[in-house]
Amino acid sequence: MYSVNYHRANSVADAVKLLKTGDAKLVSGGMTLIPAMKTRLAAPSDLVDISRITALKGIKVSGKAVTIGAATTHYEVSTDAKLQKACPALAELASMIGDPAVRHRGTIGGSIANNDPAADYPAAMVALGATIVTNKREIAADKFFKGLFETVLKDGEIVTAVTFNAPAKAAYQKFRNPASRYAIVGVFVAKGKDDVRVAVTGAGDNGVFRAKTIEAALAKSFDPAALAGVKISADSLMSDIHASADYRAHLISVMAKRAVAAANG
Amino acid sequence: MSDISLTVNGRQVRAAVEDRTLLVHFLREHQGLTGTHVGCDTSQCGACVVHVDGKAVKSCSMLAAQASGSTVVTIEGIANGADLHPVQAAFKEHHGLQCGFCTPGMIMTATDMIARHPEGLDEATVRAELEGNICRCTGYHNIVKAILAASQTMSKASKPKKAA
């Protein structure tokens, strides 16, 4: 790791000020950034640690409205009793990220700001129609994720929370790479009051995306059988040593069916 | 440089470290606590697992400065004098190791796992929970046996009144 200056922010305002130092980057759990710095894929001059800012931590559930602070860890999301009741699919998704030690450190804000094309949370945010709250504005998840490791976040902008209304039914199914355990395909299905949203991670060559043909079929009938004749195009899907685009297209359909079955319980 | 202050195995420690110092290097090289191992150095193998504020974390993927103000427990800090921790005793009893390199991380992961599952553990849960700990001797079978046995011993010890 190259030399770096570490700063601990006590508040969001403090973090904004510290971010103006050199080529500073935010760090929370550091489960992606620290390994990237160790391999010198990332070399920020300064790190601004926001993981201990109390205002960024915790989960609030009020009726259907869910708010999760950006510095809330995957472990906290996976074990929160109120969230398990309001949106068990999201709690379960969090329990499937990395391993227990990683879940103790990694945070939801860090995951979505990093926007790894195989990360789990982006699929949930898009399918839940979540709003990403920053220190400057509120951004619809549909607009937030821009491409591989890219979001619409601007310099000095810090994700502070995510909010969404708990859907009537939801589930996440992931087909893991057997070695890395990352999603080769992950599908989050959410049935709201009058619409169905389906988001796919791990597969798109531009990151997370909505599977509109699946959404349309499920809007008519929220049943795995409704997806029997639905073809997923392999255009704009990733092809790599782990899976071809055609295989990923096939998996999207399979994972979507499994997710609908799980959501229907 | 950062001035850091943390509790390591019950001892208050203050030190000036380079900001890029990883917690595992701080523990091994500055504190001489070489029980915590560096295996893969890419946060996959779990040989470096320690507890920070009561939670298992991979100390190769955390800066020492990030742990300032925290309470850290390493493999050296879990026995009670000459009495092994129940998880250590179970690893000994069930021969939950071959070369022993992964053992400190396995034991720190196991103690955290048992603490998070006071209701008890089954084999499938233990195997799933060990996702972040790799044993290249592939001696998982006895590791799992040891953790299950320790979980039973510890739940009996913590609930003495709950007789059958």
Side-chain angles (χ1 to χ4, degrees), chain A residues 122-123 126-127 142 185-190 195-201 203-204 207-219 222 227 230-233 235-237 248-249 251-257 259-260:
Chain A
V126 170
D142 274 334
V185 165
V187 178
F188 199 106
V189 172
D195 66 338
V196 175
R197 292 170 65 100
V198 177
V200 179
T201 191
V208 65
F209 66 93
R210 278 173 71 184
K212 300 262 171 94
T213 51
I214 295 179
E215 288 181 355
L218 292 175
F222 194 74
L227 299 179
V230 178
K231 274 259 174 234
I232 308 296
S233 164
D235 297 345
S236 71
L237 295 187
R248 280 190 163 91
L251 280 178
I252 290 170
S253 160
V254 174
M255 291 297 116
K257 282 180 204 161
V260 174

Side-chain angles (χ1 to χ4, degrees), chain A residues 166-202:
Chain A
K169 291 177 176 181
Y172 178 64
Q173 290 286 313
K174 131 160 109 168
F175 191 90
R176 295 163 187 261
N177 177 317
S180 75
R181 312 296 283 160
Y182 268 95
I184 285 180
V185 165
V187 178
F188 199 106
V189 172
K191 186 183 189 306
K193 222 165 68 187
D194 23 52
D195 66 338
V196 175
R197 292 170 65 100
V198 177
V200 179
T201 191

Side-chain angles (χ1 to χ4, degrees), chain A residues 231-250:
Chain A
K231 274 259 174 234
I232 308 296
S233 164
D235 297 345
S236 71
L237 295 187
M238 279 193 278
S239 237
D240 54 30
I241 57 163
H242 308 296
S244 67
D246 285 337
Y247 183 48
R248 280 190 163 91
H250 173 70

Side-chain angles (χ1 to χ4, degrees), chain B residues 91-106:
Chain B
F91 269 66
K92 186 179 173 206
E93 171 70 22
H94 294 273
H95 197 62
L97 63 148
Q98 289 181 47
C99 83
F101 190 86
C102 71
T103 312
M106 287 287 180

Side-chain angles (χ1 to χ4, degrees), chain A:
Chain A
M1 188 186 299
Y2 288 113
S3 192
V4 68
N5 300 306
Y6 172 86
H7 313 269
R8 188 176 289 177
N10 298 313
S11 66
V12 173
D14 193 20
V16 170
K17 249 185 258 161
L18 288 165
L19 263 182
K20 291 179 182 148
T21 328
D23 175 29
K25 280 230 177 332
L26 294 172
V27 67
S28 187
M31 290 295 95
T32 300
L33 184 55
I34 302 286
M37 287 171 67
K38 286 167 67 179
T39 50
R40 297 184 171 178
L41 289 169
S45 65
D46 295 74
L47 283 179
V48 179
D49 186 348
I50 55 170
S51 67
R52 299 201 186 213
I53 301 175
T54 323
L56 297 184
K57 292 185 79 71
I59 298 169
K60 280 187 226 122
V61 179
S62 147
K64 294 232 168 282
V66 178
T67 303
I68 304 177
T72 309
T73 64
H74 309 327
Y75 173 70
E76 289 159 348
V77 172
S78 70
T79 54
D80 186 88
K82 294 170 300 218
L83 183 69
Q84 280 174 340
K85 227 172 148 197
C87 187
L90 189 65
E92 201 186 335
L93 174 147
S95 79
M96 295 159 73
I97 301 170
D99 60 50
V102 167
R103 293 194 286 275
H104 281 152
R105 296 283 308 155
T107 63
I108 187 167
S111 170
I112 61 174
N114 186 51
N115 195 19
D116 187 305
D120 302 298
Y121 272 131
M125 294 299 102
V126 170
L128 291 166
T131 301
I132 316 300
V133 184
T134 76
N135 57 329
K136 295 192 173 152
R137 55 186 168 148
E138 298 192 350
I139 309 162
D142 274 334
K143 301 212 166 121
F144 179 83
F145 300 103
K146 229 174 126 185
L148 304 182
F149 299 100
E150 256 195 276
T151 67
V152 297
L153 287 171
K154 299 207 167 86
D155 284 348
E157 191 167 17
I158 301 173
V159 175
T160 57
V162 304
T163 66
F164 61 91
N165 280 325
K169 291 177 176 181
Y172 178 64
Q173 290 286 313
K174 131 160 109 168
F175 191 90
R176 295 163 187 261
N177 177 317
S180 75
R181 312 296 283 160
Y182 268 95
I184 285 180
V185 165
V187 178
F188 199 106
V189 172
K191 186 183 189 306
K193 222 165 68 187
D194 23 52
D195 66 338
V196 175
R197 292 170 65 100
V198 177
V200 179
T201 191
D205 65 5
N206 207 28
V208 65
F209 66 93
R210 278 173 71 184
K212 300 262 171 94
T213 51
I214 295 179
E215 288 181 355
L218 292 175
K220 284 188 202 127
S221 159
F222 194 74
D223 189 280
L227 299 179
V230 178
K231 274 259 174 234
I232 308 296
S233 164
D235 297 345
S236 71
L237 295 187
M238 279 193 278
S239 237
D240 54 30
I241 57 163
H242 308 296
S244 67
D246 285 337
Y247 183 48
R248 280 190 163 91
H250 173 70
L251 280 178
I252 290 170
S253 160
V254 174
M255 291 297 116
K257 282 180 204 161
R258 287 186 192 172
V260 174
N264 282 334

